Amino acid sequence: MRSACLSLLLVSVCWALPFRQSGFLDFMMEDEPGSGDVDMGGPPVIDEPRRGPAGPGADPVPTGPVCPFRCQCHLRVVQCSDLGLKSIPEDINADTTLLDLQNNKITEIKENDLKGLKALQTLILVNNQITTIHAKALAPLGKLQRLYLSKNQLSEVPANMPKSLQELRIHENQISKLKKASFAGMANMIVMELGSNPLAAGGVEAGVFSDLKRVSYIRISDTDISAIPKGLPASLSELHLDGNKITKVTKEGLKGLKNLAKLGLSYNQISSVENGTLGMVPHLREIHLDNNELTTVPPGLPEHKYIQVIYLHSNKIAVVGTEDFCPPGYNTKKAMYSGISLFSNPVPYWEVQPITFRCVFDRSAIQLGNYRKK
């Protein structure tokens, strides 16, 4: 009897379906043809081969985003730097937001080179050989915010830049003059880098910055301009004019800059700072006047409530008085000095009275040092 039961059990096992391990997400395939499930109640389901397009009316085969040859593309960023390109590549995806073309050999931006890139926000063309940009080349870029054109051979600021532009870097080119219309309508500009261009003494026309209502940072360094440009925007918080040929600082030059916090005037030929000049910039925190021709400490420092850092090293200052930096009484200056440099001046540092620096935060903030004749 036991032998007969064992025989029946073996037969039933042989008729059973083979074991199949269920994989992750197999439940999604239960209703799909060819999923591996066997229907015991009918004939097996056989997948039909997929057919290609049957004619001109068929749907086209979908393709992915196009990436220019040798470039690297990821999401909406197209990187084509360091490829020796002589022109802007074709087939750039229309939804590109950042296009990097730096360190190539591009010489010209033609009218239709950027056509269709209406979503572009950043264009990097640093270190090419660009001499001309067509007057209509930048017009289609209605969402452009950052334009980097440094280290090229442009002789003028590009025409018809998008009004959406917030940052322009165009230093180290061949621009000899900033015309009044150069930045017309650029009301959204915040950062502007214009240094290391061959600007002449009068190379900045009056009113050139009049439309820049929001700009907070301007750098015009290493040029031949001989005075602080007139009509600078009241919104400025940083102004860098280092390495020029400015000979004096006047009230008119800083008039209206009530928001200015940092002023760079190093490496000029400044011999005087006019009385009342520092009163034009009541919120100034930091001023660099090193490597100039000053013979005295600039007037107005004791009355200024917020200046904390002043660089005066490498000048011709021979005397420092007890009231050159601090007001007569104690605790009348709202912000204590955190940095005063006076080294490389012909002032006998051992004759400077300690009370001179009574409104300095810490003695380590004072840099005197010996004077050595060159």
Side-chain angles (χ1 to χ4, degrees):
M1 181 67 179
R2 183 178 299 174
S3 177
C5 290
L6 180 61
S7 299
L8 289 173
L9 180 61
L10 290 173
V11 171
S12 63
V13 169
C14 293
W15 287 347
L17 292 174
F19 173 77
R20 184 175 68 87
Q21 177 68 47
S22 295
F24 181 61
L25 297 183
D26 276 358
F27 67 91
M28 298 180 64
M29 303 291 292
E30 289 180 355
D31 296 328
E32 295 291 329
S35 62
D37 295 336
V38 178
D39 186 358
M40 298 300 295
V45 178
I46 301 175
D47 287 344
E48 293 187 3
R50 296 182 180 179
R51 305 179 186 276
D59 293 335
V61 178
T63 58
V66 177
C67 188
F69 178 62
R70 294 199 298 155
C71 298
Q72 298 182 26
C73 303
H74 179 67
L75 298 178
R76 291 183 288 176
V77 175
V78 178
Q79 186 178 20
C80 304
S81 60
D82 303 278
L83 296 177
L85 300 175
K86 295 184 179 180
S87 61
I88 293 181
E90 299 179 357
D91 300 326
I92 299 173
N93 225 34
D95 65 349
T96 299
T97 58
L98 188 151
L99 177 58
D100 182 2
L101 290 162
Q102 64 184 313
N103 303 327
N104 282 293
K105 298 180 180 180
I106 300 170
T107 59
E108 180 184 6
I109 309 297
K110 300 176 182 177
E111 179 178 358
N112 295 320
D113 280 352
L114 302 169
K115 188 177 181 180
L117 300 181
K118 296 181 179 180
L120 196 64
Q121 297 178 13
T122 303
L123 177 58
I124 306 173
L125 288 161
V126 176
N127 196 25
N128 276 275
Q129 301 170 12
I130 301 170
T131 57
T132 57
I133 296 178
H134 193 278
K136 297 182 180 179
L138 301 176
L141 309 180
K143 293 186 178 180
L144 193 67
Q145 297 178 7
R146 292 170 289 275
L147 178 60
Y148 302 148
L149 290 165
S150 304
K151 297 185 179 181
N152 279 284
Q153 299 174 22
L154 292 167
S155 59
E156 58 184 3
V157 176
N160 300 315
M161 290 185 293
K163 301 299 184 287
S164 57
L165 204 62
Q166 297 179 14
E167 183 177 349
L168 174 65
R169 297 187 183 271
I170 196 170
H171 60 287
E172 293 190 47
N173 275 271
Q174 299 299 319
I175 300 171
S176 59
K177 193 166 189 176
L178 296 177
K179 300 177 183 178
K180 188 175 181 179
S182 295
F183 310 115
M186 309 300 293
N188 292 308
M189 189 74 72
I190 297 174
V191 174
M192 185 173 289
E193 171 64 79
L194 300 161
S196 300
N197 278 288
L199 295 171
V204 182
E205 289 188 1
V208 68
F209 304 115
S210 58
D211 286 354
L212 307 181
K213 306 299 183 184
R214 295 179 57 195
V215 68
S216 62
Y217 178 101
I218 291 179
R219 181 186 291 273
I220 310 175
S221 58
D222 301 307
T223 75
D224 289 335
I225 62 173
S226 57
I228 296 175
K230 295 180 180 179
L232 289 165
S235 58
L236 270 181
S237 61
E238 284 194 36
L239 175 62
H240 298 271
L241 298 171
D242 310 277
N244 292 298
K245 295 183 178 179
I246 300 171
T247 57
K248 59 183 178 180
V249 184
T250 65
K251 290 189 292 184
E252 187 65 26
L254 298 179
K255 185 179 180 180
L257 300 183
K258 295 183 178 180
N259 294 303
L260 195 66
K262 186 173 183 178
L263 175 61
L265 290 165
S266 305
Y267 292 94
N268 276 278
Q269 301 170 10
I270 299 170
S271 59
S272 65
V273 177
E274 188 179 65
N275 283 330
T277 297
L278 294 180
M280 299 289 101
V281 283
H283 292 96
L284 194 67
R285 259 70 172 177
E286 186 172 333
I287 181 170
H288 295 227
L289 284 163
D290 56 281
N291 292 277
N292 278 286
E293 305 290 328
L294 292 171
T295 57
T296 59
V297 175
L301 288 172
E303 293 79 29
H304 203 289
K305 297 183 181 299
Y306 295 105
I307 288 181
Q308 296 173 274
V309 176
I310 179 165
Y311 289 172
L312 293 169
H313 57 272
S314 300
N315 276 278
K316 298 180 179 180
I317 300 172
V319 178
V320 175
T322 58
E323 295 187 358
D324 280 351
F325 292 97
C326 304
Y330 287 87
N331 300 321
T332 58
K333 185 172 168 58
K334 290 188 176 181
M336 304 285 280
Y337 285 102
S338 59
I340 296 176
S341 68
L342 282 163
F343 61 90
S344 296
N345 277 288
V347 55
Y349 68 92
W350 57 88
E351 294 183 3
V352 179
Q353 300 297 314
I355 197 174
T356 301
F357 305 112
R358 57 189 174 273
C359 57
V360 177
F361 178 74
D362 186 86
R363 62 184 297 177
S364 63
I366 307 164
Q367 300 177 20
L368 287 170
N370 294 322
Y371 173 73
R372 296 180 181 179
K373 292 183 178 181
K374 296 180 181 179

